[in-house]
Every structure is written in C-alpha cells, then in structure tokens.
Amino acid sequence: MSVYTGDASLLYLQYYEKLHANSVEKVPANMVIDDRKRKGGSPTGFTLYLVVEKKSWDRAIRINGAQYSYQVELKAGDNTGFLSLDSKSKCIFTNIEWNTNNANTTLSFQSAKTFGIWSEDFKIEITPAQRKFYDNRELYVYVAENEKFYKDNIDNKIKKDQISAGYISF
C-alpha cells in the first residue's frame, strides 16, 4: 500500500490507490491536490490548475501526452503566474483533452532549486483506462513553502471567482 504524506481528495486517493497498488509515489507534504466537478466545457478531459503561494519559489507541471505532441509546462511562483484576486496566491491553468492515439498522459510536478535546476517532486501517469476518473473534473494542485498554508487554512485555497487571468492555451 502506498504511503501519502500530503493531502489529496478522497476520489483521487481511491483511484490512485487502486491503479497504483505497488507504487511508492508520495504526494509531497507541501502539496495539496483537490478535485472538483467541472461546470461546463468538454465532457472529456479536465482542467488543471497550479496554485502556489505568492512568494513561493517557482513550481511547474510538465504535461506530456494528452492532446499535445510535445511537452508543455504550466509555471507559477514568485517570478511567474497570475496573481489571484485575494493576492495570496499565483495561479495558472489549462484544459487537458485526450489524444486519439491512446498514449499515456504524464503530469510531472517540478520545483525550482538553486541555480535554476528543476527537480521532479511527484508524477501522475494517466493511462487510457484511467481517463474516466479525470473526465469533466477540475484538478487543483496547491503548493506552498509552508505545508500548512493550504492544508490547514481553507480560506487560502483559491476559488474560481478569485481567478481573473491565467488560462494558457498551447
């Protein structure tokens, strides 16, 4: 059984545990993953949000697969991203649609280190069989320097109406 040090939604943990029973991947303690039902938009695919503390080091999600034939990247942090209306967080988001070639989609969660070196903190591999768990969902990935910033204070979690900009289309 996998061990999780971070907080994730029950839905996410249930299907992640079933599909990766032998995995030892851990959600980092400073990362919170929430999912919500998407209102509107395509019934296939999902919306991916990266939300970080306003003064946090830069974070990124690298996306391989999905509708892209190349790697794309969402970045937010002290040097990039869009400030939320409550001025506590920076965020960026995009819609992820499935490709037609039935290849896996990989979400690689990265953090900036000293001298501009990036390090992978966590990875989610979405197989074609797993797509139904993500369809018509919004996946919010919250990352903070202080692991209690999003985990222990629900008021710090961003709400849809607090996002004025940040949609990226690749």
Side-chain angles (χ1 to χ4, degrees), residues 7 22 33 37 41 45 56 64 67 77-78 85 90 92 112-113 115 117 119 124-125 138 146 164:
D7 185 21
N22 297 324
I33 299 175
K37 184 159 178 51
S56 176
N64 287 299
Q67 75 265 37
D78 59 351
L85 293 178
K90 286 200 168 176
I92 193 163
K113 304 294 183 198
F115 305 118
I117 296 172
S119 171
I124 297 175
E125 192 83 28
E138 293 178 337
N146 172 356
S164 61

Side-chain angles (χ1 to χ4, degrees), residues 87-107:
S87 299
K88 294 179 184 177
S89 302
K90 286 200 168 176
C91 64
I92 193 163
F93 65 99
T94 193
N95 289 320
I96 308 244
E97 298 296 330
W98 306 122
N99 57 19
T100 56
N101 67 2
N102 284 331
N104 290 353
T105 299
T106 304
L107 307 177

Side-chain angles (χ1 to χ4, degrees), residues 5-140:
T5 57
D7 185 21
S9 70
L10 181 59
L11 172 68
Y12 172 77
L13 287 177
Q14 284 174 340
Y15 62 73
Y16 190 85
E17 193 64 41
K18 287 178 186 172
L19 297 167
H20 298 281
N22 297 324
S23 174
V24 291
E25 287 278 340
K26 295 179 183 179
V27 177
N30 66 332
M31 185 183 292
V32 177
I33 299 175
D34 279 341
D35 75 302
R36 305 172 191 164
K37 184 159 178 51
R38 182 165 62 180
K39 295 176 183 160
S42 171
T44 61
F46 63 101
T47 305
L48 179 63
Y49 294 82
L50 174 60
V51 183
V52 301
E53 271 182 284
K54 173 172 70 172
K55 297 176 187 173
S56 176
W57 282 55
D58 288 349
R59 308 293 176 163
I61 301 175
R62 293 183 179 157
I63 306 160
N64 287 299
Q67 75 265 37
Y68 311 111
S69 58
Y70 49 88
Q71 176 177 282
V72 296
E73 189 171 66
L74 295 178
K75 280 187 179 176
D78 59 351
N79 294 314
T80 187
F82 296 87
L83 192 61
S84 63
L85 293 178
D86 66 359
S87 299
K88 294 179 184 177
S89 302
K90 286 200 168 176
C91 64
I92 193 163
F93 65 99
T94 193
N95 289 320
I96 308 244
E97 298 296 330
W98 306 122
N99 57 19
T100 56
N101 67 2
N102 284 331
N104 290 353
T105 299
T106 304
L107 307 177
S108 175
F109 302 92
Q110 308 273 323
S111 57
K113 304 294 183 198
T114 309
F115 305 118
I117 296 172
W118 288 85
S119 171
E120 182 177 90
D121 298 324
F122 183 63
K123 180 168 62 173
I124 297 175
E125 192 83 28
I126 305 169
T127 66
Q130 295 169 307
R131 291 177 180 178
K132 63 185 174 206
F133 296 116
Y134 291 85
D135 280 342
N136 209 25
R137 306 295 297 173
E138 293 178 337
L139 189 68
Y140 288 81

